[in-house]
Amino acid sequence: MTKDEIILAHKEFIFPAVFHYFREPLVMARAKDQYVWDIDGNQYLDFFGGIVTVSVGHCNEEVNAEVHRQLDTLQHVSTVFANEPQAALAKKIASVTPGGALTKSFFTNSGTEANETAILAARYYTGCTEIVALRHSYHGRSAAAMTLTGQGSWRLGPTQAGVVHAHNAYCYRCPFGLTYPSCELKCAQDMEELIRATTSGRIAGFIAEPIQGVGGFITPPKEYFQIVEKIVRSHGGLFISDEVQTGWGRTGGKWFGIEHWGVTPDIITSAKGLANGSPIGLTVARPEVADSFRGLTISTFGGNPVTTTQAKAVIDFIDEHNLRENCAGTGGYLRARLEELKDKHEVIGDVRGMGLLQAIELVEDRKTKAPAVKQTAMLMEAARENRILIGKGGMYGNVIRLSPPMNIGRGDVDQFIQQLDRSLAAVGAVTV
Ligand SMILES: Cc1ncc(COP(=O)(O)O)c(C=O)c1O
């Protein structure tokens, strides 16, 4: 198909709700490592990784060799038969969860399903039904996951009962108009009032992203989750860490984002980067939580031998190539270079994130912090012209999200920053 035929077929045969970045859709043809090529042969440096998913580089040779081998050995049997790849992945995951405390896995095909499984498990274990989630969160697109999500634009159709939303720790736009640390973490302390006022007082659990992804890489102060955890547990709730974007070392040093905050969750969910681009969902729980999940349940493709082989190869690759350390080191370098851009471009109001999960929030005015929505859209187009791929997010559509493959180096960062600088200049950002 030609480029025009592909775009036309998308328009004619795919739900229009499947939106694309850019005024004219960018048609991708192939990818290798940190680069993607469009159908016209243009090369892009990928700093978004297919929405925080290409964790070890496109078409990673070591990972794909394992996949090809498995594809020609045993492709599918379903969960009603045991198989080595699924067992080996579950065993590996158990060995890397915080404190080795989460040891039983349930595999599905997406982050959405992983979160569905997690809240069901919390409900089984506690015998309670109510769940607390956070404002500005994103947890998926099923009815329950949309209900957990704390951003109106992603909540389509009627939502379900039994979910309330607490304040997040969005220091740049503090919900209480306070400043850290003199705020004394009012956002976290408010959890007590929220549970007492809007639930029965006995909750099944609390679900949160350690750094809110779609919300714009909103990064809480270090005390936030410890305070929240205490309150949640005092009301009988389990702690569910949605690591769909923050898992597998991306935040630097640790396997999971929540480990930076000194909290050991009862359940972790993951997807995206776990299999470097193949569909996978993971719910891993403390054994007693997993054991309370009773009755019959099935996921036809969950634990698929090929996908689980790929996921295990990804974790092994991260381990063997010290990519958690690279995320800390190269991520720190990226952060410093972004701070330099902030000094130069008035439109950048905030730089935040951890490791190789970094964002810039664009504002029209640094005092009023009015979201620079138009400029963000223009920056996306300019970045395309300058051959870098970046992501957009934030409840107000004014955050640029960066999540390159975890095995990039400083040279890639330098190349990227040069093009981002040029793109920022092109949107007419005021240079100070
Ligand atoms: C934190 C988080 N949880 C859950 C999901 C849903 O994952 P999926 O799109 O695989 O269903 C996403 C997707 O962006 C996510 O970012």
Side-chain angles (χ1 to χ4, degrees), residues 110-112 115 138-140 209 214 242 244-245 271-272:
S110 66
T112 297
N115 286 333
Y138 183 86
H139 295 292
E209 303 153 84
V214 178
D242 179 339
V244 167
Q245 299 207 12
K272 287 190 185 286

Side-chain angles (χ1 to χ4, degrees), residues 147-171:
T147 305
L148 296 172
T149 294
Q151 298 183 63
S153 48
W154 298 108
R155 290 164 64 91
L156 313 176
T159 50
Q160 300 178 342
V163 176
V164 296
H165 289 87
H167 284 294
N168 64 340
Y170 193 173
C171 292

Side-chain angles (χ1 to χ4, degrees), residues 167-178:
H167 284 294
N168 64 340
Y170 193 173
C171 292
Y172 186 63
R173 297 179 188 277
C174 174
F176 297 96
L178 301 172

Side-chain angles (χ1 to χ4, degrees), residues 308-385:
T308 49
T309 293
Q310 187 159 354
K312 167 110 180 355
V314 167
I315 300 175
D316 287 342
F317 189 91
I318 292 168
D319 222 356
E320 286 156 19
H321 295 265
N322 298 323
L323 296 192
R324 286 178 292 150
E325 286 68 33
N326 189 52
C327 284
T330 307
Y333 182 66
L334 170 63
R335 174 59 169 268
R337 302 272 354 240
L338 290 171
E339 298 282 0
E340 282 171 25
L341 289 185
K342 185 182 170 201
D343 291 342
K344 190 170 171 193
H345 297 282
E346 192 80 19
V347 75
I348 301 178
D350 193 28
V351 183
R352 57 176 178 257
M354 290 178 84
L356 281 174
L357 195 75
Q358 297 286 339
I360 53 175
E361 176 157 356
L362 305 187
V363 290
E364 287 185 354
D365 179 313
R366 283 189 181 176
K367 274 214 178 82
T368 66
K369 298 182 180 175
V373 179
K374 247 197 222 151
Q375 292 91 328
T376 309
M378 285 164 67
L379 181 61
M380 293 295 290
E381 298 288 342
R384 173 187 184 164
E385 289 304 309

Side-chain angles (χ1 to χ4, degrees), residues 49-65:
I51 319 184
V52 202
T53 296
V54 179
S55 45
V56 295
H58 291 277
C59 304
N60 180 298
E61 265 157 45
E62 284 182 41
V63 170
N64 284 10

